[in-house]
Amino acid sequence: MTEMIRVTGGARLFGQVEVSGAKNACLPIMAATLLASGTHQIQRVPALTDVDILGQILKQLGCDFSHVHDQELIKIQVPDSLHLIISQQLAAMMRASVVLLGPLLTRFGHCMLPFPGGDAIGVRPIGEHIRALRALGASIEEESHCLVAQARKRLRGTRVRFDITTVTGTENLIMAAVLAQGETEICHAAREPEIVDLCEALRHMGALIEGEGTDTIRIQGRDSLKPMDYRVMPDRIEAGTLAVAVAMTQGSICLQHACAAHMGATLDVLVRAGVQIKEQAEGLQVTCEQALKPVQISTAPYPGLATDMQAQLMAMTTFIQGVSTIEETIYENRFGHVKELQKMGAHIHTTGRLATIQGVSTLHGASVVATDLRASACLILAGLVAQGQTHITGIHHLDRGYARLEHKLASLGAQIQRLS
Ligand code: EPU
């Protein structure tokens, strides 16, 4: 069934909304359950297709997986031995399946994972993951589009320096190291809050880790770990997306559970553009009462501005009077939304990884196609302020990473529906 989202522009957003659990923390935490037999509980799990697909992969490996959607809870029962082959069909549906490599290799000494490949936003190589796991003693070869990973004996901790800042690469290495023999020191580690959350979950399992959130992480390997009962951090990208929606519609909302400490660079851009942000006990109050000012921004690894906010911020700049610039430094092809925004009347010029946006006074509704996850959110945001109706197809991308975004926006006053 092909679905689309229809947005009628013009409504201002008011009220309060709960921020869901973070996709990019939840997926590696689900993979981490493979590090210990027994029953794990994960709370504040967002209702996303990526979570469902990883659940199916865990089932294929031999785990019991159940997701109680209305309680945002999953239970994963990991047996003592697993079937260590992942089907091409499931792995191809989700690039993040690469985070299974570290846990399977360190605990079971073997794993066959279809090569995750690239996607719409870039080639996304995983050479750094492979180099890091090899440094711990694994042998990893590519055989007919599959990664065949083996460790003849227990992995051994060592000092590993990443050449490129990689989020899932750092996560894979951390998960491999928690059961390796001796100490692993990770230099030039990524510092994203989702990595800190994964380490916290691993600590609940008994792992010995220090330094997460900095670029040097030290891990003392343990002989075994125990099951976790863990609550996932709130999604800083979903919270940022909703904050941009408020900025664009000149509204005022409370983002319940949103954590300002994780959102520094995004909030900084919004404040520079003229948005007011107040931290309150229940979350973040975001208010916009004035015309926005142009911004000059560039994405970067954390604590820099998240590439996962780039498309949404571009939607915001399309109608800010003056010239804004957005540089995408992480992915070589993350401007798929530009062509679609242009269909809505946006004036955007791109040269390589730089987009120059000349704000227009109004966008107009159009039929547009979401080319990737964050592009889908960007087009919904543009639809909120466009004159008339915007129809967005390619909604399967949205469902990968946003839990009921259209319901949340509708509860704040947006005119938005999902149509089949
Ligand atoms: N890179 C390499 N070689 C490697 C690893 C990475 O060249 O071995 C490059 C990538 O191609 C990219 C850059 O380094 O250009 C950063 O990639 P990274 O490995 O950090 O990305 P990731 O771990 O695959 C995670 C998120 C992405 C998010 C990026 C950057 C998960 C499951 N995914 O991907 O999330 O954009 O970090 O912050 O955590 C999204 O949620 O929309 C999304 C794409």
Side-chain angles (χ1 to χ4, degrees):
M1 184 172 52
T2 312
E3 293 190 328
M4 66 165 80
I5 296 244
R6 181 178 65 201
V7 192
T8 308
R12 296 174 66 192
L13 303 187
F14 291 96
Q16 51 184 19
V17 65
E18 223 170 272
V19 176
S20 297
K23 166 180 87 81
N24 289 346
C26 188
L27 297 174
I29 289 172
M30 286 171 69
T33 61
L34 296 171
L35 293 164
S37 312
T39 304
H40 301 255
Q41 280 214 132
I42 310 178
Q43 299 170 54
R44 191 149 59 199
V45 173
L48 306 173
T49 48
D50 269 10
V51 168
D52 296 339
I53 295 165
L54 187 52
Q56 284 181 48
I57 295 178
L58 293 175
K59 274 188 180 170
Q60 191 173 68
L61 288 167
C63 303
D64 266 355
F65 174 84
S66 60
H67 191 167
V68 190
H69 283 264
D70 57 353
Q71 292 173 30
E72 301 183 328
L73 171 77
I74 58 179
K75 285 188 187 171
I76 301 171
Q77 206 233 318
V78 182
D80 289 334
S81 67
L82 292 177
H83 170 73
L84 294 166
I85 300 178
I86 296 165
S87 77
Q88 173 81 47
Q89 189 211 357
L90 282 175
M93 289 166 81
M94 199 185 74
R95 232 203 81 87
S97 57
V98 72
V99 290
L100 296 164
L101 199 55
L104 287 176
L105 192 55
T106 198
R107 172 124 188 265
F108 300 98
H110 177 71
C111 142
M112 260 177 87
L113 181 74
F115 207 79
D119 60 15
I121 60 177
V123 181
R124 304 184 75 179
I126 55 163
E128 289 292 287
H129 300 231
I130 295 174
R131 197 172 60 78
L133 295 172
R134 280 186 182 147
L136 264 53
S139 99
I140 305 179
E141 301 304 330
E142 197 186 331
E143 281 175 23
S144 50
H145 305 296
C146 245
L147 287 172
V148 181
Q150 297 197 63
R152 278 187 209 294
K153 40 189 189 183
R154 187 173 171 191
L155 296 179
R156 289 183 84 90
T158 185
R159 183 168 188 272
V160 182
R161 188 188 152 78
F162 282 113
D163 289 336
I164 296 170
T165 317
T166 163
V167 177
T168 48
T170 301
E171 290 167 348
N172 250 333
L173 181 54
I174 292 170
M175 288 190 276
V178 290
L179 284 181
Q181 195 171 17
E183 179 176 291
T184 301
E185 184 183 50
I186 309 177
C187 305
H188 200 199
R191 292 181 278 170
E192 270 67 3
E194 291 76 12
I195 295 175
V196 176
D197 208 41
L198 168 67
C199 290
E200 200 50 42
L202 290 168
R203 217 172 264 127
H204 276 66
M205 297 176 73
L208 301 174
I209 306 173
E210 56 184 49
E212 72 274 17
T214 75
D215 67 359
T216 308
I217 302 176
R218 278 194 193 83
I219 298 152
Q220 306 295 332
R222 306 274 325 247
D223 293 342
S224 64
L225 297 174
K226 58 182 192 312
M228 68 169 105
D229 183 347
Y230 191 71
R231 191 176 172 81
V232 176
M233 65 179 271
D235 196 316
R236 64 191 170 107
I237 305 300
E238 186 202 30
T241 302
L242 290 164
V244 174
V246 175
M248 292 173 71
T249 61
Q250 301 274 299
S252 180
I253 68 167
C254 176
L255 291 166
Q256 292 170 310
H257 311 310
C259 176
H262 297 159
M263 298 171 63
T266 297
L267 297 183
D268 187 49
V269 174
L270 291 175
V271 168
R272 275 190 278 139
V275 179
Q276 290 157 256
I277 314 274
K278 255 196 231 152
E279 272 190 79
Q280 294 175 334
E282 63 272 35
L284 278 187
Q285 185 71 36
V286 183
T287 306
C288 186
E289 290 167 336
Q290 60 185 78
L292 295 169
K293 298 187 279 275
V295 289
Q296 323 303 323
I297 56 187
S298 183
T299 62
Y302 193 83
L305 179 66
T307 170
D308 297 343
M309 282 303 304
Q310 179 259 111
Q312 302 89 312
L313 288 167
M314 190 180 296
M316 180 179 90
T317 59
T318 54
F319 72 110
I320 299 179
Q321 293 312 298
V323 177
S324 296
T325 56
I326 299 186
E327 188 191 10
E328 170 57 56
T329 68
I330 307 293
Y331 294 112
E332 66 275 21
N333 194 22
R334 212 178 199 181
F335 280 156
H337 41 283
V338 167
K339 208 167 110 231
E340 306 305 308
L341 289 171
Q342 285 167 340
K343 289 183 193 163
M344 300 176 72
H347 287 181
I348 306 170
H349 175 77
T350 57
T351 331
R353 293 181 181 210
L354 182 71
T356 306
I357 306 108
Q358 170 74 60
V360 292
S361 51
T362 44
L363 296 176
H364 53 79
S367 289
V368 290
V369 186
T371 48
D372 65 77
L373 166 58
R374 306 303 168 188
S376 62
C378 153
L379 297 174
I380 290 176
L381 298 182
L384 289 175
V385 294
Q387 266 178 8
Q389 291 191 337
T390 299
H391 292 94
I392 303 148
T393 51
I395 286 311
H396 57 284
H397 291 297
L398 182 77
D399 296 334
R400 281 191 41 227
Y402 286 94
R404 298 159 49 87
L405 184 64
E406 76 275 19
H407 291 264
K408 291 188 180 184
L409 289 169
S411 76
L412 298 169
Q415 290 196 48
I416 179 167
Q417 291 95 21
R418 182 179 290 243
L419 310 171
S420 315

